Amino acid sequence: MIELLALLFGLATLAATAWCPPRLTRVLGSLLFALMVGVVSRFAFGVHVALLAAALAAVLALRFFPPLVLRRVVFLVPALVLLIFSTTLLMYRAPGNPFANERATSPQVEAALRAQYGVPKNASAFFGIYMRRLLVEGTLGPSIKVQGRTVEELIAPAFPVSVALGLLALILSVVIGLTLGIFAGLKKNSLADHVSMALALFGVSLPSFVLGAGAMIVFSLWLGWLPVAGWGSLRHLVMPAFALALPNAAIIARLARSGMIEVMQQDFVRTARAKGLPESWVIARHAMRGTLIPVVSFLGPAAAAIMTGSFVVEVLFAVPGMGQWFVKGAINRDYSVVLGTAIVYFGMIILFNLLVDLAYSWLDPRVRSSDA
Amino acid sequence: MLRTLISAFLVIVASLAVVGLTLSASTGRRAELRFVNSTEPKTLDPHLITGEPEGRIAEAIFEGLTRLDAQSLEPVPGVAESWEITPDGKTYTFHIRTGARWSDGHPLTAQDFTYAWRRLQDPSLGAEYAYIMQMVRYSEAFNTHEAQASALEGPIQNALHELGHSSPGAVPDKAVRDFVSKQHLDAVLKGTPNAALRAFLLRGPGELTQGELGVLATELAREGQRRRALYQEAKLHFGIDGGVYAKDEHTLIVELVAPTPYFLALTAFYPAYPVPRWAIEKQTGRNWFLPANIVSNGAFRLAEWSVGSRIHLERSDTYWGRSDVKLRSADALPLENQTTGLNLYLTGEVDWLPQNTYPAELAQDLRKRPDFFIGPALIVYYYRINVTRKPFDDVRVRKALNLAVDRDVITREVLGVGQQSAFRLVPPGIRGYTPPDTGISYDVAQAQKLLADAGFPGGRGFPKFGILYNTLETHKKIAEVIADQLRRNLNIDVSAYNQEWQSYQQSTRSLDYDLSRAAWVGDYEDPNTFLDLFTTNGGNNQTGWSNLVYDRLLEAAGNVEEFVAAPAFILQHASRAPELERLADAVRLNKEAPSRLKVMAELRLELLGEAERILVHDEFPILPVYFYVIGDMVKPKVKGFYTKLRGSDGATRSNLRDLHPLRSIYIDEHPSPRDGAP
């Protein structure tokens, strides 16, 4: 009951941040930004550097940050706390617990383990311990199922792997998707359009594990061009990157096509043509930006998802990325791993949404003027 | 336009640089032997290991007093170069070899074992496998008695007090039974010599007067004190001057509660490995076994552990027997996708696919290959029957279910790689063990008759029930087949349903199911490892079934001498009493040490056979389905890998436990074409 009230209070606070007056936003946003910088840099450089960095961040934010960013920060911190709290509640609601083994654990042993790993039987108590860890001790806590390692030690080597693979996949999907989509949009209802869209449909409908397994059979077993699975060279990256990229490329292609069709009917395109500009210039200089807007809004969350790893692709190609921890954390009820991965994912979503907003104002003059 | 192109180009270059940096950070030389190790080990602390993937690594980097010979799986000298056993089979003197060293150069001494074995039993460590070494004197008291004493003095007394208050007159039978099961009294009082408490546990149905309640409270408190005293004594002596202790640096004395025929095989098992005290105590978290911190004593050392990528082992240059170890290095790959594992094997990236690391549904095709080895395993697949629910509390119903399942359909049609239908619990092939008569077969007519006798003629009135399995395709197929057979043969309404692993465990543990799927892998080659499951309130019983004679038989098998001294209770209930009596007499009359021990071992297996008979001939708390087979895929160049074993007596048999010590494996890059046994 108290937990439910706390949850409602959290949601109310979160909603209230929208009406936060500008001056308060500036002060509060700077302070919270300093807190974030402090906590994050503590993981990397220790307490002293973190304090310094936090002070610096506060001053910088107060003086130079645009209101758009500061409003984001004011929203972000309570949202993160709420995320941790509600995830904790959900985890504790799920049947089982991290100490359940195939062989029954005696109550004494379980109590000893709970004390050692800081996992009390009560969700709110765990939330308290976890926040303390995060803010005071500067750790994401020990993993319960992967003994001897903290969550940051699990994520630290896996995150760059997922980012690297994700970046590659992202580039591939944008290049393939935009090419197909723009081409199809320009030649609406031609044979080329139908072929591109059929390809896109194919890409959307085929799950990446089917695509990946098929590619494995063709390129590794039959042709012997690429290694089956593993990590360590560019050749290892090719198949997983394509398997991750193609479904996204297909979505991008469809978005780009409809965007292109819509933009080509706009007044400013007609104006550009009337000015006598060559068609290629009209497309590249004027139509392109409008086409990109729906693609960019899709890319924000998609980039966050793709760079935090895909469990299916990682397992299939034995890639030591981060996707595995989302799934294993949940299956094992490894509470601190679940929270750690959730926080990283949250951070990526926020980061990419911010980038998307910045990209909007660059792509669309209307957004720019309304924001100033 | 140009600016946009340049910035896009720069973004791409920067991204590729990130990719390149990440890749260059993760290189490592490929090992001589690479094998798939189904999942990432949870730990490499020998005392906390429970699974096969962990066991394979621990077995390579640590070594116990004995080790198992790769070709015969019989115990041979490990850290101990020799040992003596007293004629009564209860005291072992191990002589630690002087050349034994830890990987940091420390000499390995008898004290390392006393520390390790005490640590294994330390209640604060919470080692799951502590029980497996509890034939060592003091260890059980040290491991369990303090917690039991606290329960007896605290919560149990309180519950008893409440019980007295809740009913002013006599306490009804049901309340008493609830109290016993809720407080796990059978487990807490395990092995008590207190006559009053033993009688209480065995009592028939009936009320309990307030006076009896008072006596019970006193006796329970007394038992609590007794256990606390035993714990204090064990704490004072165990690992110091009793149970296991060092006579000097190179002499280790082990005292057992009762002679244990398989003890020398247990000392080769990971719970009995020595661990480095100084390395463990230097770390605060449970991380002494990570590559940067670990000190070990086996044939290999842990050179690298990249989570999700590989565990890299290298031949140790401090191991006493390093001149016998031919393999220079090994990679264990944690691969959870079985198809990927198989593809890696087919393209030559890995050399060994152990059981469960390739897709089971392809086994029928794979078995035709010359590099696929298949053999029986010490694993049983069975269904638990929840005897606390109606109508499964009726033994006729349980037997009817057992008789109505045609297991051959499952082994032939669903599995089809040579699995055997199970009509008992203990898998075949254990040396010296004669399986008992079983009441299980495929006999629909008799099943229908039993169901009618139980009050459900033609299946009428039988409540709808469910078969619970944990989410997995094979379990699903089997559950559907069994549900279908029960439906058709008995005309009852059955459905199969699944839960993911954690929920499934919670359901089975809290007895929230009707029938549930289970399997058990034998920890050592002895029927005890299976029969132990079904003792009253055993942690893995999970059927609610409890049988006094069964419990007594297992106790007797654990301490044959005690049985020989007081055999009356068991003889009264045993099906083969004359045989047991003959063997007991033989033990009593025979004072010659070796032959006496031999007869005792025979008697012990006979007692276990009696226990199994109760399960599969009289009581049916389970429905055995099939016995597993193991299949490994191994490249011809991998030598020293034995799927068929040759014992010291010259007889060949199967490698029931699928153990392949890396110590004896070597690579022959130019193998001669198939020379029979690899």
Side-chain angles (χ1 to χ4, degrees), chain A residues 42-278:
Chain A
R42 172 158 182 189
F43 275 101
F45 311 108
V47 185
H48 297 289
V49 181
L51 281 176
L52 203 71
L56 204 68
V59 174
L60 272 177
L62 202 61
R63 298 277 309 192
F64 301 110
F65 273 25
L68 173 85
V69 175
L70 283 176
R71 213 179 309 136
R72 277 288 158 92
V73 173
V74 172
F75 172 80
L76 196 142
V77 173
L80 185 59
V81 175
L82 194 67
L83 170 88
I84 296 174
F85 186 65
S86 51
T87 311
T88 306
L89 289 188
L90 281 174
M91 287 187 315
Y92 270 79
R93 289 266 155 174
N97 68 65
F99 305 105
N101 275 317
E102 195 166 6
R103 238 174 259 273
T105 321
S106 79
Q108 293 84 14
V109 169
E110 191 184 316
L113 289 173
R114 279 186 183 278
Q116 190 188 342
Y117 286 105
V119 182
K121 284 196 164 169
N122 177 307
S124 315
F126 176 77
F127 174 71
I129 291 180
Y130 193 82
M131 290 310 287
R132 205 192 114 80
R133 263 188 207 149
L134 210 57
L135 297 175
V136 183
E137 294 163 28
T139 168
L140 293 172
S143 160
I144 300 159
K145 289 287 168 162
V146 188
Q147 277 182 19
R149 295 180 203 251
T150 58
V151 175
E152 56 267 28
E153 281 170 338
L154 291 179
I155 293 180
F159 185 59
V161 168
S162 287
V163 169
L165 185 60
L167 268 178
L168 203 64
L170 206 62
I171 293 171
L172 279 174
S173 58
V174 170
V175 170
I176 299 173
L178 278 185
T179 315
L180 276 182
I182 291 171
F183 190 60
L186 289 174
K187 315 244 166 184
K188 199 172 77 171
N189 289 333
S190 68
L191 183 68
D193 178 24
H194 293 312
V195 170
S196 323
M197 283 306 106
L199 276 179
L201 188 68
F202 194 65
V204 172
S205 336
L206 267 189
S208 46
F209 61 89
V210 174
L211 210 66
M216 211 187 258
I217 291 175
V218 175
F219 295 106
S220 305
L221 292 183
W222 291 354
L223 299 172
W225 291 349
L226 295 168
V228 169
W231 185 254
S233 77
L234 213 53
R235 272 153 44 87
H236 283 111
L237 271 169
V238 177
M239 284 197 293
F242 268 99
L244 271 178
L246 288 187
N248 285 306
I251 296 173
I252 291 174
R254 298 182 72 86
L255 289 173
R257 175 181 178 269
S258 51
M260 183 55 92
I261 291 172
E262 197 190 316
V263 170
M264 289 308 269
Q265 290 158 358
Q266 296 284 327
D267 292 345
F268 65 84
V269 171
R270 202 178 323 145
T271 313
R273 280 193 184 135
K275 278 197 295 188
L277 291 176

Side-chain angles (χ1 to χ4, degrees), chain A residues 96 101 103 148 316 333, chain B residues 128 131 286 340 500 506 509:
Chain A
N101 275 317
R103 238 174 259 273
L316 186 62
R333 308 286 191 272
Chain B
E128 282 184 53
Y131 80 92
R286 288 188 168 179
T340 306
E500 59 88 42
Q506 179 146 322
R509 210 161 279 161

Side-chain angles (χ1 to χ4, degrees), chain B residues 393-569:
Chain B
D393 55 342
D394 187 333
V395 64
R396 288 169 298 191
V397 170
R398 301 199 296 264
K399 185 168 185 183
L401 297 180
N402 260 294
L403 291 174
V405 172
D406 185 0
R407 293 157 176 85
D408 289 350
V409 169
I410 293 161
T411 49
R412 249 185 300 116
E413 315 287 332
V414 182
L415 305 160
V417 198
Q419 288 89 346
Q420 289 183 40
S421 301
F423 301 101
R424 295 184 182 77
L425 176 73
V426 179
I430 294 179
R431 276 171 294 175
Y433 181 68
T434 323
D437 296 338
T438 173
I440 304 173
S441 58
Y442 181 50
D443 186 343
V444 179
Q446 204 200 336
Q448 287 166 343
K449 187 177 170 302
L450 280 166
L451 207 62
D453 291 347
F456 308 101
R460 269 192 302 282
F462 200 90
K464 178 178 164 53
F465 70 99
I467 298 178
L468 169 66
Y469 59 93
N470 57 304
T471 313
L472 201 82
E473 198 50 35
T474 328
H475 300 335
K476 178 183 170 150
K477 280 186 203 155
I478 293 173
E480 295 290 355
V481 170
I482 290 183
D484 182 56
Q485 290 181 348
L486 292 176
R487 240 177 269 135
R488 278 189 290 117
N489 291 337
L490 299 178
N491 191 30
I492 53 183
D493 195 358
V494 198
S495 56
Y497 66 105
N498 63 313
Q499 287 178 351
E500 59 88 42
W501 182 242
Q502 286 269 349
S503 316
Y504 153 87
Q505 282 192 318
Q506 179 146 322
S507 299
T508 55
R509 210 161 279 161
S510 54
L511 295 180
D512 183 14
Y513 71 90
D514 302 311
L515 259 64
S516 75
R517 171 264 150 199
W520 193 254
V521 184
D523 288 322
Y524 44 95
E525 207 180 311
D526 191 275
N528 194 56
T529 180
F530 293 96
L531 297 171
D532 202 28
L533 298 175
F534 296 101
T535 51
T536 297
N537 277 333
N540 299 291
N541 179 324
Q542 300 178 10
T543 60
W545 181 74
S546 157
N547 183 291
L548 181 71
V549 184
Y550 187 86
D551 291 352
R552 284 297 172 81
L553 278 165
L554 278 160
E555 272 175 37
N559 195 338
V560 177
E561 277 176 338
E562 216 165 73
F563 164 69
V564 171
F569 180 82

Side-chain angles (χ1 to χ4, degrees), chain B residues 175-188:
Chain B
V176 180
R177 291 199 181 273
D178 283 352
F179 161 73
V180 170
S181 74
K182 214 168 167 190
Q183 299 297 331
H184 303 289
L185 224 51
D186 298 86
V188 174

